[in-house]
Amino acid sequence: MNAREEILSRIRRATDDVPQGERPGDVAVERGYRHADGSSREEIISRFAETVAEYRATVHRVDGDELPEAIAEALARRGVQRLAVPADLPSDWLPDGIEALRDAADSPLSKESLDGSDGVLTGCALGIAQTGTIVLDAGALQGRRVLTLLPDYHLCVVRGDQVHGLVPEAITALGEVVRDTGRAVTFISGPSATSDIELERVEGVHGPRTLEVLIAG
């Protein structure tokens, strides 16, 4: 018996007592966890900033009208000259002197162009304070998934009203997009990192090594 057959055999034994015709929806699942965060908006945003930073991401909070200046300062600190951006990114988010590499459906950037850029600037679908997670769903201001995987630096803008307190709230908010569009959803908690066989932390294997977040508003 090979590994595949062994795995399938174990699944059959574990589900041997399930009645024929029973579907997953037929069995009630206890969901006793919290579904809503009763904290104030300021508390939720502050917690989001703290938990995102715990993953070695750099976090800044700025007023909405200060966002273009904050973006310019972040890119200058990083020394960014060539910046990958989604096609619908607002022009006033792009500082003077930056070469914008716009990724559009009819003229997508090549993998070589993305890899050769100094970073990527995007918005997001939402943030989750409970886990310090940023979620992308390939919607407005985000572009294709690959756009945020190949550049080594990701500057992400999260509006204050996009931050949800708990994971269940975020999943509910994403449900319509997943059901209606089938777009890919990406959860980002800090820079890309994994551990090698010696348990040494290795960053940048599956995405950017540096994540910087601007929370606007």
Side-chain angles (χ1 to χ4, degrees), residues 39-139:
S39 305
S40 69
R41 171 73 5 205
E42 176 56 31
E43 289 173 331
I44 291 173
I45 295 174
S46 294
R47 193 183 320 129
F48 175 69
E50 293 174 4
T51 51
V52 170
E54 289 175 356
Y55 287 103
R56 299 190 185 184
T58 302
V59 182
H60 308 275
R61 292 191 62 178
V62 300
D63 292 334
D65 56 0
E66 297 174 344
L67 181 59
E69 181 180 354
I71 291 173
E73 292 175 352
L75 297 178
R77 284 194 301 269
R78 179 75 182 180
V80 172
Q81 297 295 319
R82 303 177 76 245
L83 182 68
V85 298
D88 58 348
L89 197 85
S91 296
D92 63 354
W93 284 18
L94 292 171
D96 293 338
I98 295 288
E99 180 184 354
L101 309 174
R102 289 195 180 270
D103 183 70
D106 57 353
S107 57
L109 295 172
S110 67
K111 294 180 176 60
E112 291 75 16
S113 294
L114 289 171
D115 191 43
S117 70
D118 297 318
V120 58
L121 168 63
T122 74
C124 71
L126 55 86
I128 307 173
Q130 185 179 29
T131 58
T133 302
I134 294 165
V135 180
L136 308 180
D137 67 357

Side-chain angles (χ1 to χ4, degrees), residues 137-158:
D137 67 357
L141 312 184
Q142 301 162 61
R144 297 180 295 153
R145 172 182 275 182
V146 69
L147 193 62
T148 55
L149 292 180
L150 292 183
D152 201 33
Y153 168 69
H154 183 189
L155 178 60
C156 185
V157 175
V158 183

Side-chain angles (χ1 to χ4, degrees), residues 125-207:
L126 55 86
I128 307 173
Q130 185 179 29
T131 58
T133 302
I134 294 165
V135 180
L136 308 180
D137 67 357
L141 312 184
Q142 301 162 61
R144 297 180 295 153
R145 172 182 275 182
V146 69
L147 193 62
T148 55
L149 292 180
L150 292 183
D152 201 33
Y153 168 69
H154 183 189
L155 178 60
C156 185
V157 175
V158 183
R159 298 194 320 270
D161 61 4
Q162 290 181 302
V163 180
H164 294 259
L166 303 177
V167 172
E169 294 173 305
I171 297 301
T172 298
L174 292 167
E176 184 174 344
V177 169
V178 173
R179 284 192 299 270
D180 295 348
T181 70
R183 295 201 303 254
V185 177
T186 305
F187 290 72
I188 302 171
S189 296
S192 170
T194 187
S195 295
D196 66 13
I197 197 170
E198 300 294 335
L199 299 183
E200 293 291 335
R201 180 182 172 94
V202 179
E203 297 182 341
V205 176
H206 307 296

